[in-house]
Amino acid sequence: MKIVVLVKQVPDSGAERNLRSDDSTVDRDSANNVINEMDEYAIEEALKLREAHGGEVTILTMGPERAAESIRKALSMGPDKAVHVLDDALHGSCALATSKVLAAALKTLEPDLVIAGAESTDARGQVLPHMLAERLGAAALTGARKLTVDGATLTIERQTEEGYEVVTASTPAVVSVWDTINEPRYPSFKGIMEAKKKPVQTLSLGDLGIDAGEVGFGGASTAVVEHARRPPRQGGTRVNDDGEGGVKLVEFLVSEKFV
Amino acid sequence: MNIERFLPTEEAVALLELTQELAEHELAPKVDDFEARGEFPREGIRTLGRAGLLGLPYPEEFGGGGQPYEVYLQVLEVLAGRWLAVAEAVSVHTLSCYPVAAHGSDSQRKRFLPDMLGGELLGAYCLSEPQGGSDAASLTTRAVRDGDDFVVTGTKAWITHAGVADFYNVFCRTGGPGPEGISCLLTEADTAGITPQAREKTMGLRSSPVAQIAFDSARVSADRLIGDEGGGFRIAMSALDSGRLGIAACAVGLAQAALDYAVAYSRERDQFGQRIIDFQGLGFMLADMATQVSAARALTLHAARLRDAGRRYSVESAKAKLFATDMAMKVTTDAVQVLGGYGYVADHPVERYMREAKVLQIVEGTNQIQRLVISRALARQH
C-alpha cells in the first residue's frame, strides 16, 4: 500500500504565537517551529499500516525552507522518503490554493491512501483533507479515531461530540485523524541517523505545472482583513449560593458541554 | 538550565536532543508516582530501549549505538537529572553487557549481544555477597562443573534489578581461593534454582529493586562461561572501571538537577524585600555548587575520553567516581539548605535528590575503595 502522510510545520502551540504585522501571516521567525502535533498521529498510523500490510510511506510537506527540519524529524520516526513543495511564491496561500498544490503533488505520487492530521494547531481550519479528497476524486474519511484496512476497504470510526460514526470507503481515500487514534512513537537514535540518508525530493510550482498567480496572496480566495491580540482573560462568572447554587453550576457545566 | 556541551559529532547532538525529549516526556511526569509506590518503571525503560538507549557504547554490528563513552555518559547525565533510578538502570544494564562484549568469544557475542543490546532485555550484575562487598576476591558462591553444565550454589547480595532482570552476570568460584579461582557466567534469569529474595527497603532509588539472589544448584550451560575459567575477577574489575564512570555521570546529572532547582527557587523566593539569590551568603553557596558540578563533569568526561582513546583510565575513573559522588552529596545537601524548610519536605524534589545521592558514594566500589585505588597508584609511582 502506498501511503502519503501530510506534514505541516507549525509554531509550537505550547508557546506564544503571533501573526506578522506586515502581511498577517503566521510569524515563523520568532517561533519554535515543530511538526503539527496531529500529524505525528497520522505518521504513526501510516507506520502501523506499513508494518501490518507492507508498502511505502511518503511524507508530503508544503512550506518554506526551514520546514526541512520537520521533514527530517518526521522521517526519523520511520517513513521511507519525503517530498517538499518549496516555492517562494507560495507565501500567503489560502487553504484552497494549498489544496490545489498538494493535490498536484499527490497526483505525481499516486497514493492508495493519504493520511493527514484532522487539523493544524495554527490555522485549525480542518478543511484541507476534504478539499484534497474532492480534487483527487477520492473518498474523504475525516476525523477518525480508529482506522481499519481490509484489502481496498477502509473503515473509520469518525469521532463526534456525542460518540462516533462508522464510515466505510474504498481506496483511494484521504483519511484525517485525531489524537485519539494512537500513541505516536519516539524516533530511535538509529532512526535519526537513517533519516539523514533518506531521499527528500523538492518540487517547485513549475514542477507541478501551477502558475505562481494561482497561489500566494494574489491567488488567495480569502484574506485576513485585520487581526488583534487575544484580549486579556476576563474574570469568571460568580455563582452565589442562595439555594440554587448547585443547579446553576450544573447548568453552566452543561452549557459548556463539560457534562 | 542549558549546559554548554562539547559533543564530538552531529549525531551525538541529535542523540542528546532525543534523550532530553524522552527525559522530559517519559520520565519527568512519572518519577514521583513511581518513587512513592516503589514501582520499577519497566515500560519506561523499554521505551528508552526502543529508542536505542540501552546499548549505546557497543558496536553497531551487534545492535549497539557505536557511541564513545564521552557521549554515552552525557546521555546518562541527562537521564539522571530526571530520574536517577532510570539512569542507574541504564548504567547497570550497560555494565551487564560489558563482560560478553569485551571478553566473550566471537560466537558468544553473535549469540547473545543482539538481544542484550536490542532494548527489550534488561541485565544485572551479581558480584557482591552478604559477607563480601568491597573484598570481592573472597566471594564464596560456588560453580561446580558437571558434564556440560556448571552447578551454581550461593547467595549474591545488593543486586540491582533482582527479580526484574532477564539475565545475570554471575561471578562465582570455579577454582581455589583468591582472585584466580573466580569465573563469570552469563545466566538467564528464569534458570531453575535462581530465586530473587525479598526487596531491600532502601533510603532512596525506591523504584529500583535491590535484593539478594539465592542460587540453589542452578544449572548453567558451560557455553555461558564468559572469558577463561579463572578469568572472572579480571573481567569484574575492568567492568567496574567502566561502571564507575557511569555512576560518576549519574552523580553529575543528579547534582545538576539539584542546582537547577535551588537556583530557580532562590530567584523566586523573596525575604527581607529581595530575592534570596541576591543575598551574597546564598549566592556564593550557589556559585560554589555550580562550580563543583562543572568540575565533576569535566573530570568524568576526561576519564571517558581517555577510555575512548584506548588509554589507561582506571585511576582517572576512580577519581571521577570519588569526586563526582562526594560532590553530589554536598550539592544536594546544600540544595535542601537553600530551600530551608521547604527543602525538607517531599513537595520539592531536593529531599529525594539528597537521599539518592548517598547511594552513589557506596555503589560500584565505595568511595573508600576509590581512595584505595588512587593511593595504591600513587604508591606505585616512582
Side-chain angles (χ1 to χ4, degrees), chain A residues 220-238:
Chain A
S221 57
T222 56
V224 178
V225 180
E226 61 177 331
H227 61 90
R229 298 189 71 81
R230 188 201 302 260
R233 215 177 270 265
Q234 303 292 316
T237 313
R238 197 184 173 93

PDB file of all heavy atoms in Angstrom, chain A residues 220-238:
ATOM      1  N   ALA A 220      -5.210  34.115  -3.608  1.00  0.00           N
ATOM      2  CA  ALA A 220      -5.939  33.719  -2.397  1.00  0.00           C
ATOM      3  C   ALA A 220      -7.421  34.027  -2.510  1.00  0.00           C
ATOM      4  O   ALA A 220      -7.821  35.096  -2.993  1.00  0.00           O
ATOM      5  CB  ALA A 220      -5.355  34.425  -1.183  1.00  0.00           C
ATOM      6  N   SER A 221      -8.241  33.063  -2.074  1.00  0.00           N
ATOM      7  CA  SER A 221      -9.692  33.276  -2.086  1.00  0.00           C
ATOM      8  C   SER A 221     -10.156  33.916  -0.783  1.00  0.00           C
ATOM      9  O   SER A 221     -11.302  34.316  -0.659  1.00  0.00           O
ATOM     10  CB  SER A 221     -10.398  31.931  -2.257  1.00  0.00           C
ATOM     11  OG  SER A 221      -9.997  31.054  -1.213  1.00  0.00           O
ATOM     12  N   THR A 222      -9.290  33.966   0.181  1.00  0.00           N
ATOM     13  CA  THR A 222      -9.633  34.603   1.459  1.00  0.00           C
ATOM     14  C   THR A 222      -8.512  35.570   1.818  1.00  0.00           C
ATOM     15  O   THR A 222      -7.405  35.457   1.303  1.00  0.00           O
ATOM     16  CB  THR A 222      -9.743  33.561   2.593  1.00  0.00           C
ATOM     17  OG1 THR A 222      -8.513  32.841   2.665  1.00  0.00           O
ATOM     18  CG2 THR A 222     -10.886  32.591   2.371  1.00  0.00           C
ATOM     19  N   ALA A 223      -8.820  36.511   2.665  1.00  0.00           N
ATOM     20  CA  ALA A 223      -7.786  37.455   3.099  1.00  0.00           C
ATOM     21  C   ALA A 223      -7.989  37.791   4.566  1.00  0.00           C
ATOM     22  O   ALA A 223      -9.121  37.815   5.051  1.00  0.00           O
ATOM     23  CB  ALA A 223      -7.861  38.733   2.264  1.00  0.00           C
ATOM     24  N   VAL A 224      -6.907  37.991   5.284  1.00  0.00           N
ATOM     25  CA  VAL A 224      -7.015  38.454   6.667  1.00  0.00           C
ATOM     26  C   VAL A 224      -7.128  39.965   6.614  1.00  0.00           C
ATOM     27  O   VAL A 224      -6.202  40.659   6.183  1.00  0.00           O
ATOM     28  CB  VAL A 224      -5.780  38.032   7.495  1.00  0.00           C
ATOM     29  CG1 VAL A 224      -5.890  38.564   8.923  1.00  0.00           C
ATOM     30  CG2 VAL A 224      -5.646  36.513   7.495  1.00  0.00           C
ATOM     31  N   VAL A 225      -8.281  40.477   7.000  1.00  0.00           N
ATOM     32  CA  VAL A 225      -8.519  41.921   6.911  1.00  0.00           C
ATOM     33  C   VAL A 225      -7.818  42.641   8.055  1.00  0.00           C
ATOM     34  O   VAL A 225      -7.117  43.624   7.871  1.00  0.00           O
ATOM     35  CB  VAL A 225     -10.038  42.218   6.928  1.00  0.00           C
ATOM     36  CG1 VAL A 225     -10.266  43.722   6.842  1.00  0.00           C
ATOM     37  CG2 VAL A 225     -10.727  41.494   5.775  1.00  0.00           C
ATOM     38  N   GLU A 226      -8.024  42.139   9.239  1.00  0.00           N
ATOM     39  CA  GLU A 226      -7.271  42.702  10.367  1.00  0.00           C
ATOM     40  C   GLU A 226      -7.154  41.641  11.447  1.00  0.00           C
ATOM     41  O   GLU A 226      -7.874  40.644  11.441  1.00  0.00           O
ATOM     42  CB  GLU A 226      -7.943  43.958  10.916  1.00  0.00           C
ATOM     43  CG  GLU A 226      -9.341  43.737  11.442  1.00  0.00           C
ATOM     44  CD  GLU A 226      -9.919  45.021  12.050  1.00  0.00           C
ATOM     45  OE1 GLU A 226      -9.140  45.852  12.546  1.00  0.00           O
ATOM     46  OE2 GLU A 226     -11.159  45.169  12.025  1.00  0.00           O
ATOM     47  N   HIS A 227      -6.212  41.849  12.356  1.00  0.00           N
ATOM     48  CA  HIS A 227      -6.085  40.905  13.463  1.00  0.00           C
ATOM     49  C   HIS A 227      -5.689  41.653  14.715  1.00  0.00           C
ATOM     50  O   HIS A 227      -5.109  42.747  14.637  1.00  0.00           O
ATOM     51  CB  HIS A 227      -5.074  39.797  13.132  1.00  0.00           C
ATOM     52  CG  HIS A 227      -3.677  40.288  12.876  1.00  0.00           C
ATOM     53  ND1 HIS A 227      -2.753  40.409  13.877  1.00  0.00           N
ATOM     54  CD2 HIS A 227      -3.061  40.670  11.731  1.00  0.00           C
ATOM     55  CE1 HIS A 227      -1.616  40.840  13.355  1.00  0.00           C
ATOM     56  NE2 HIS A 227      -1.772  41.009  12.053  1.00  0.00           N
ATOM     57  N   ALA A 228      -6.033  41.102  15.833  1.00  0.00           N
ATOM     58  CA  ALA A 228      -5.717  41.745  17.105  1.00  0.00           C
ATOM     59  C   ALA A 228      -5.259  40.680  18.083  1.00  0.00           C
ATOM     60  O   ALA A 228      -5.547  39.482  17.907  1.00  0.00           O
ATOM     61  CB  ALA A 228      -6.958  42.454  17.652  1.00  0.00           C
ATOM     62  N   ARG A 229      -4.536  41.079  19.084  1.00  0.00           N
ATOM     63  CA  ARG A 229      -4.086  40.134  20.105  1.00  0.00           C
ATOM     64  C   ARG A 229      -5.290  39.651  20.898  1.00  0.00           C
ATOM     65  O   ARG A 229      -6.291  40.354  21.028  1.00  0.00           O
ATOM     66  CB  ARG A 229      -3.074  40.799  21.042  1.00  0.00           C
ATOM     67  CG  ARG A 229      -1.828  41.250  20.309  1.00  0.00           C
ATOM     68  CD  ARG A 229      -0.769  41.699  21.292  1.00  0.00           C
ATOM     69  NE  ARG A 229      -0.209  40.566  22.035  1.00  0.00           N
ATOM     70  CZ  ARG A 229       0.737  39.788  21.532  1.00  0.00           C
ATOM     71  NH1 ARG A 229       1.224  39.991  20.324  1.00  0.00           N
ATOM     72  NH2 ARG A 229       1.218  38.794  22.248  1.00  0.00           N
ATOM     73  N   ARG A 230      -5.145  38.461  21.414  1.00  0.00           N
ATOM     74  CA  ARG A 230      -6.209  37.899  22.234  1.00  0.00           C
ATOM     75  C   ARG A 230      -6.463  38.844  23.425  1.00  0.00           C
ATOM     76  O   ARG A 230      -5.524  39.308  24.052  1.00  0.00           O
ATOM     77  CB  ARG A 230      -5.718  36.550  22.759  1.00  0.00           C
ATOM     78  CG  ARG A 230      -6.757  35.728  23.488  1.00  0.00           C
ATOM     79  CD  ARG A 230      -6.060  34.705  24.369  1.00  0.00           C
ATOM     80  NE  ARG A 230      -5.181  33.817  23.622  1.00  0.00           N
ATOM     81  CZ  ARG A 230      -5.509  32.585  23.263  1.00  0.00           C
ATOM     82  NH1 ARG A 230      -6.691  32.103  23.555  1.00  0.00           N
ATOM     83  NH2 ARG A 230      -4.643  31.830  22.623  1.00  0.00           N
ATOM     84  N   PRO A 231      -7.733  39.163  23.689  1.00  0.00           N
ATOM     85  CA  PRO A 231      -7.999  40.070  24.823  1.00  0.00           C
ATOM     86  C   PRO A 231      -7.587  39.407  26.137  1.00  0.00           C
ATOM     87  O   PRO A 231      -7.588  38.178  26.234  1.00  0.00           O
ATOM     88  CB  PRO A 231      -9.515  40.274  24.763  1.00  0.00           C
ATOM     89  CG  PRO A 231     -10.039  39.135  23.982  1.00  0.00           C
ATOM     90  CD  PRO A 231      -8.960  38.711  23.050  1.00  0.00           C
ATOM     91  N   PRO A 232      -7.223  40.224  27.119  1.00  0.00           N
ATOM     92  CA  PRO A 232      -6.827  39.635  28.401  1.00  0.00           C
ATOM     93  C   PRO A 232      -7.976  38.829  28.999  1.00  0.00           C
ATOM     94  O   PRO A 232      -9.151  39.120  28.754  1.00  0.00           O
ATOM     95  CB  PRO A 232      -6.477  40.846  29.275  1.00  0.00           C
ATOM     96  CG  PRO A 232      -7.023  42.034  28.564  1.00  0.00           C
ATOM     97  CD  PRO A 232      -7.147  41.683  27.127  1.00  0.00           C
ATOM     98  N   ARG A 233      -7.645  37.843  29.744  1.00  0.00           N
ATOM     99  CA  ARG A 233      -8.634  36.952  30.349  1.00  0.00           C
ATOM    100  C   ARG A 233      -9.606  37.742  31.244  1.00  0.00           C
ATOM    101  O   ARG A 233      -9.183  38.584  32.032  1.00  0.00           O
ATOM    102  CB  ARG A 233      -7.886  35.943  31.206  1.00  0.00           C
ATOM    103  CG  ARG A 233      -8.496  34.576  31.234  1.00  0.00           C
ATOM    104  CD  ARG A 233      -7.608  33.668  32.052  1.00  0.00           C
ATOM    105  NE  ARG A 233      -6.604  33.005  31.223  1.00  0.00           N
ATOM    106  CZ  ARG A 233      -6.772  31.790  30.726  1.00  0.00           C
ATOM    107  NH1 ARG A 233      -7.878  31.129  30.965  1.00  0.00           N
ATOM    108  NH2 ARG A 233      -5.838  31.223  29.990  1.00  0.00           N
ATOM    109  N   GLN A 234     -10.911  37.466  31.093  1.00  0.00           N
ATOM    110  CA  GLN A 234     -11.912  38.126  31.924  1.00  0.00           C
ATOM    111  C   GLN A 234     -12.130  37.325  33.206  1.00  0.00           C
ATOM    112  O   GLN A 234     -11.901  36.123  33.219  1.00  0.00           O
ATOM    113  CB  GLN A 234     -13.246  38.206  31.152  1.00  0.00           C
ATOM    114  CG  GLN A 234     -13.139  38.912  29.813  1.00  0.00           C
ATOM    115  CD  GLN A 234     -12.840  40.400  29.969  1.00  0.00           C
ATOM    116  OE1 GLN A 234     -13.429  41.070  30.798  1.00  0.00           O
ATOM    117  NE2 GLN A 234     -11.889  40.904  29.181  1.00  0.00           N
ATOM    118  N   GLY A 235     -12.588  38.031  34.201  1.00  0.00           N
ATOM    119  CA  GLY A 235     -12.946  37.332  35.430  1.00  0.00           C
ATOM    120  C   GLY A 235     -14.116  36.394  35.168  1.00  0.00           C
ATOM    121  O   GLY A 235     -14.957  36.663  34.309  1.00  0.00           O
ATOM    122  N   GLY A 236     -14.175  35.263  35.871  1.00  0.00           N
ATOM    123  CA  GLY A 236     -15.231  34.276  35.626  1.00  0.00           C
ATOM    124  C   GLY A 236     -16.570  34.738  36.180  1.00  0.00           C
ATOM    125  O   GLY A 236     -16.684  35.801  36.782  1.00  0.00           O
ATOM    126  N   THR A 237     -17.600  33.926  35.941  1.00  0.00           N
ATOM    127  CA  THR A 237     -18.922  34.223  36.488  1.00  0.00           C
ATOM    128  C   THR A 237     -18.972  33.747  37.936  1.00  0.00           C
ATOM    129  O   THR A 237     -18.533  32.634  38.229  1.00  0.00           O
ATOM    130  CB  THR A 237     -20.001  33.485  35.682  1.00  0.00           C
ATOM    131  OG1 THR A 237     -19.729  33.686  34.304  1.00  0.00           O
ATOM    132  CG2 THR A 237     -21.387  33.999  36.028  1.00  0.00           C
ATOM    133  N   ARG A 238     -19.487  34.579  38.800  1.00  0.00           N
ATOM    134  CA  ARG A 238     -19.567  34.203  40.193  1.00  0.00           C
ATOM    135  C   ARG A 238     -20.974  33.688  40.498  1.00  0.00           C
ATOM    136  O   ARG A 238     -21.969  34.320  40.129  1.00  0.00           O
ATOM    137  CB  ARG A 238     -19.258  35.426  41.066  1.00  0.00           C
ATOM    138  CG  ARG A 238     -18.909  35.068  42.483  1.00  0.00           C
ATOM    139  CD  ARG A 238     -18.706  36.344  43.301  1.00  0.00           C
ATOM    140  NE  ARG A 238     -18.537  35.980  44.698  1.00  0.00           N
ATOM    141  CZ  ARG A 238     -17.364  35.777  45.248  1.00  0.00           C
ATOM    142  NH1 ARG A 238     -16.251  35.905  44.540  1.00  0.00           N
ATOM    143  NH2 ARG A 238     -17.272  35.433  46.526  1.00  0.00           N
TER     144      ARG A 238
END
